[in-house]
Amino acid sequence: MTLLLNRSQLESLLDPADCLDALRRGFAAERGDVGPQRVVTPLPGPGTATALIPGLITGVPAYTVKVNAKFPGVRPALRGVVCLHDLDTGELLSLLDSATVTAWRTGLAAALGTHALARRDADTVAVIGAGVQSDLVLKGLSGLRQVRELVVYDLDAGRAAEFAKRHGLRLGIPATTAADARTAASGTGIVIVATWARRPLLNAGDVSAGTHVTSLGADEPGKTELGAELLLSSRVVVDDVALAVEMGVLAGAGLDVKHAAGTLRDLLRGQVPGRVKDNEITVYAPVGLPWQDLAVAWAAYSAARDTDTGASFDFLR
């Protein structure tokens, strides 16, 4: 039997702290022999189809296959499924809403990277792109360090205002909106960028010395949020160097492997240093890896079995 888990069920099952722990364990685990496979194919019109295979973590007796369709002009923009399979038999254990799994794993993994690279005293946050991924980054980050002030920019001013109000009330902090991305980023210690941009939103000179920037939008060819000169003057950490050069932040700026200081896995395992100097600009710019889908999907599936949540369906009947 296959367990079906929709968005509302996943949101009731998932806990940010538990997912952060699962992702942290995934980063610490030994990498298997199977590398990440990420296939992006344009569709006729504005959409793209993406497959991420296989999601594997040492010690988890399952693997994932994720298939997404992205349509920037609709809400939700991401639609698809995460298939959770038994590692020994291939049995389809669960089908999960991919938009929810992707938002949680992307946002919370980004929170880990942000916390690891930002200055210890950085407590002012700018959010550029007030969507669900920024929402999860901020939820995860506020569980890892104190956030004292928030400023938000979005093309939709109403969405920016709602985001600022919601998180300001949740954290009990001043939360305002900005007129543009440059104004939002000015003077803040941490900048979170999660957009569909195809032109740089921030360039050299827009970000102060000592700032950390997490850029989540450059996850497929043609998307870019940060200018090449900004990246050249920053210490850049990615989740996979080859993918960053092929379709991520380095590809978008026309840069190559020598511009990556390492991966977040390397950093969290103590194999490369993170921030070297307080006054340097650091950047974390992931593409997103299949094993991260497994970390969140397995957490949700385990919680669903414990609480008898979800509907079962027999595909072999």
Side-chain angles (χ1 to χ4, degrees), residues 95 139 187:
L95 283 176
K139 285 180 179 177

Side-chain angles (χ1 to χ4, degrees), residues 9-312:
Q9 290 166 333
L10 288 171
E11 290 178 344
S12 72
L13 292 166
L14 292 171
D15 175 74
D18 290 343
C19 289
L20 282 169
D21 286 342
L23 288 162
R24 195 180 286 107
R25 290 194 300 271
F27 278 113
E30 293 293 337
R31 187 191 298 272
D33 294 330
V34 181
Q37 300 294 315
R38 184 183 181 94
V39 181
V40 180
T41 304
L43 300 171
T48 57
T50 303
L52 275 75
I53 54 176
L56 292 167
I57 300 174
T58 302
V60 177
Y63 69 93
T64 51
V65 174
K66 182 168 77 173
V67 181
N68 281 334
K70 293 183 179 180
F71 289 84
V74 299
R75 292 288 182 270
L78 190 67
R79 298 159 189 261
V81 293
V82 175
C83 305
L84 180 69
H85 294 265
D86 184 280
L87 188 58
D88 292 325
T89 67
E91 178 188 355
L92 182 58
L93 301 174
S94 184
L95 283 176
L96 306 92
D97 171 56
S98 69
T100 306
V101 171
T102 301
W104 278 71
R105 63 89 151 151
T106 302
L108 295 179
L112 289 175
T114 301
H115 181 61
L117 284 164
R119 298 189 325 268
R120 290 183 180 273
D121 63 347
D123 56 10
T124 58
V125 178
V127 165
I128 301 170
V132 65
Q133 288 190 349
S134 293
D135 184 80
L136 267 299
V137 179
L138 195 54
K139 285 180 179 177
L141 186 63
S142 61
L144 296 170
R145 66 167 61 206
Q146 188 166 29
V147 176
R148 296 184 184 274
E149 187 174 344
L150 174 66
V151 58
V152 184
Y153 167 71
D154 192 277
L155 287 172
D156 183 334
R159 187 160 78 154
E162 190 279 330
F163 187 103
K165 180 179 179 180
R166 175 160 41 87
H167 284 283
L169 290 172
R170 181 178 69 86
L171 297 171
I173 60 173
T176 59
T177 60
D180 53 53
R182 294 176 63 187
T183 302
S186 177
T188 56
I190 295 171
V191 181
I192 299 162
V193 193
T195 72
W196 295 90
R198 292 185 173 271
R199 293 183 180 179
L201 298 171
L202 297 175
N203 293 286
D206 296 335
V207 177
S208 302
T211 299
H212 170 76
V213 181
T214 289
S215 172
L216 298 179
D219 61 345
E220 61 182 46
K223 295 175 68 179
T224 182
E225 294 176 325
L226 308 181
E229 289 187 1
L230 173 56
L231 292 168
L232 285 168
S233 63
S234 304
R235 182 171 180 80
V236 180
V237 174
V238 298
D239 55 356
D240 185 274
V241 175
L243 286 175
V245 172
E246 178 186 350
M247 63 181 64
V249 66
L250 299 179
L255 303 178
D256 58 27
V257 294
K258 68 176 179 288
H259 298 291
T263 68
L264 183 57
R265 177 188 289 270
D266 298 333
L267 191 158
L268 294 179
R269 288 168 64 92
Q271 295 170 342
V272 300
R275 173 175 292 273
V276 177
K277 298 176 292 185
D278 276 353
N279 66 348
E280 71 183 338
I281 296 171
T282 55
V283 171
Y284 178 54
V287 172
L289 302 178
W291 71 260
Q292 296 164 351
D293 297 316
L294 175 60
V296 171
W298 184 252
Y301 176 69
S302 301
R305 289 189 305 174
D306 290 343
T307 58
D308 196 24
T309 302
S312 295

